[in-house]
Amino acid sequence: MEWLSEFGAIAAMQGFNGLSVFCVLLLMALGLAIIFGQMGVINMAHGEFLTIGAYTTYVVSVLTEQYAPFFGPYYFFLAIVLSFFIAGAIGWLAEWAMISKLYQRPLDTLLATWGLSLVMQQAFRSIFGAREVSATLPEWLMGSWNPTEAIDIPRNGLFVMGLTVLMTGMIFLMLYRSRWGLQVRATVQNRVMSRAVGINTKKVDRMTFALGCGVAGVAGAAFTTIGSTGPTAGSLYIVDTFLVVVFGGASSLLGTIASAFSIAQAQSLMEFFMSGSMAKVFTLSAVILILMLRPQGLFSIKVRK
Amino acid sequence: MNPTLDKFLGGKQGAIGLAVLATLILVVFPLALDAFRLNMVGKYLTYAFVAVGLVLCWGYGGILSLGQGVFFGLGGYCMAMFLKLEASDPESTKIQSTPGIPDFMDWNQITELPMLWQPFHSFGFTLLAVIAVPVILALVIGVAMFKRRVGDVYFSIVTQAIALILTVLIIGQQGLTGGVNGITDLKTLMGWDIRDDSSKMILYFINAFLLFGCILIGRFILASKLGRLLMAMRDKEERVRFSGYDVASFKIFVFCVAAAFSAIGGAMFALQVGFMSPSFVGIVPSIEMVIFAAVGGRMSLLGAVYGALLVNYGKTYFSETFPELWLYLMGGLFIAVVMYFPNGLAGLWESHGRKWLGKLARKPAAPATPAPVAEAPVASSQPRELETTP
């Protein structure tokens, strides 16, 4: 029976590993699912909004350490809230200055936001330096949780998982159970009609974009518990994130969750058998092959265009 | 004029524009620049191949491919594999534990030349592969995506993902591809040393002539009925489909042509620069190639060449003198071009430059003022401008 419990422990930890990757992907994809899925805007600078959140957390952590060490254990919650609002505010500005002028030309938004991402990356480099930084984690996030002798589950992973569930729930409520969400969905389905029935679509767009960026900021804050932050940290994930959203079916939140789950599990399962890079190649290729067979993604709503 | 010739040259203005560019590339640069700088211009011109391809498939066809680096890279790697095999003959690699195979394979404990590399002993096969491999890939992607009517945006994202996959694959398969460093130390082409100044000069001219060949082919495509159809598809795809045209096939064709152009550029890059690495394949270089076309003017084949030259010159200059500033500039350029000058340099020339030249000449010679960056007449009658001011 010895080997069975050992096998169970490995399976549990491997499963947790996959869940961890899933949460990371989902957190990143949530903001994009709102921006790309709902508004149809291709925000290539999404990764940089994530980096904003990560740097915000870092700054809050450094400031706490210097001026208010007693606040140390709790600073992280403040950092999450601040990340949300700072990333959201910058997103609001970007929408106002740039994206609102490009709604008629989706491909051009892609290029313009890529330019924005270059500028933001260099700005991070100028402000924080090219070296990677990391926030000091409060004690309750470090170490791991051992339900049995053999199972070892890191606490930061659990925290990220909890945060993911919370964010997903909140976004679901906002999109599908609130007045604002109704307006967003109406605007997505038929902009002209929405305007005709009195929805201020411009305002809705701006708020939606800001919210998506804010969620990216929260994701960035969550990342500081897992890895360190560099100027290009966010841009490394942008393609994976887009694939998650596209694979899930652009305008379906459920689809995004399902696709993040399947991509993450496939990736971590294959990593068990081959090198990480080959696992990534196979996962991405599989996603593309499926997209070629089913271009609308896993879940799609039927909209008359 | 002979009508076929006219199609290639794009009328009087097109011919003048071509002549100006030809003088610049074939006469002015070789005379004014030293061997090192000329080789650098040659390198920039290899990117112009990609930009010219992008004008065809993005500017006219409306297909924004963010994976042109893939085709550039595949063309380059095919050529580099041939050159590498020649550079690693048993004589010069006798210190390795397995002589006669490329050095990076030896470092990765590979003792036999992999099957994939075997055919690249033949130059004829290599030349074929430079074009065929990228075109077949483009064909597969194109058939899969366009026949199923995948939207523009999705296509861009999928091509970008393909660029990512290929980069990860090349870096991961170190023994087969040389990994991050790529294929380096390319020395001779069929016994001919490609590293000394005179052969670099010859390669520069071969490169330039191939580029003009591509531009002329592009012009021919745009001046023919196909070019009209491409534009019609870009602006109202459904109407073209309802008129009975097979929209997908035209898109696939123009995407394959763009891939072939990029591949030629890649092969010439490997020849002139002497190495090939995954840093020319991935997402960032692929998007940079789009910006060459955007800066030059997405509707102008000649503009794309100017765009590639200018942006690359700027990149070299600024990253040497003000490395901090370069990314700000590049990003700002991206945003400015997309938001305010969607037709790039060529568009600016059309709207301002020509008027200015007319004033300069005092005697405005009515419509037929010489126009270096001017494109075939179809370009000027474009409704693109309308879209920029909503």
Side-chain angles (χ1 to χ4, degrees), chain A residues 154-167:
Chain A
R155 282 192 202 162
N156 52 7
L158 280 176
F159 177 74
V160 172
M161 209 169 275
L163 191 64
T164 313
V165 173
L166 188 73
M167 292 300 292

Side-chain angles (χ1 to χ4, degrees), chain B residues 37-104:
Chain B
R37 293 275 161 190
L38 190 68
N39 184 242
M40 232 144 86
V41 173
K43 187 174 104 183
Y44 303 160
L45 286 179
T46 60
Y47 296 129
F49 284 92
V50 188
V52 167
L54 275 168
V55 167
L56 285 180
C57 83
W58 175 42
Y60 286 86
I63 312 161
L64 176 55
S65 161
L66 294 181
Q68 291 305 96
V70 168
F71 307 122
F72 185 83
L74 283 177
Y77 265 99
C78 285
M79 184 53 90
M81 280 159 87
F82 171 77
L83 297 175
K84 186 70 193 171
L85 280 183
E86 202 178 291
S88 32
D89 56 297
E91 185 56 33
S92 50
T93 53
K94 58 176 182 270
I95 49 161
Q96 291 175 182
S97 44
T98 319
I101 62 170
D103 44 13
F104 58 83

Side-chain angles (χ1 to χ4, degrees), chain A residues 162-181:
Chain A
L163 191 64
T164 313
V165 173
L166 188 73
M167 292 300 292
T168 316
M170 272 167 66
I171 288 171
F172 179 81
L173 284 181
M174 285 183 83
L175 270 181
Y176 294 97
R177 292 287 180 274
S178 79
R179 186 104 199 130
W180 172 81

Side-chain angles (χ1 to χ4, degrees), chain A residues 61-100:
Chain A
S61 134
V62 170
L63 288 182
T64 318
E65 225 170 310
Q66 266 179 357
Y67 299 105
F70 58 88
F71 191 54
Y74 317 106
Y75 88 89
F76 209 80
F77 297 102
L78 175 72
I80 290 178
V81 175
L82 267 182
S83 304
F84 179 81
F85 282 107
I86 292 180
I90 296 176
W92 194 91
L93 277 179
E95 206 277 350
W96 170 75
M98 233 169 81
I99 292 157
S100 59

Side-chain angles (χ1 to χ4, degrees), chain B residues 19 42 62 100 163 184 206 247 274 276 365:
Chain B
T184 51
I206 295 175
V247 168
M276 192 69 214

Side-chain angles (χ1 to χ4, degrees), chain B residues 159-174:
Chain B
T159 46
Q160 194 170 38
I162 291 171
L164 177 70
I165 291 175
L166 192 68
T167 326
V168 175
L169 192 66
I170 289 175
I171 294 175
Q173 295 295 314
Q174 222 176 44

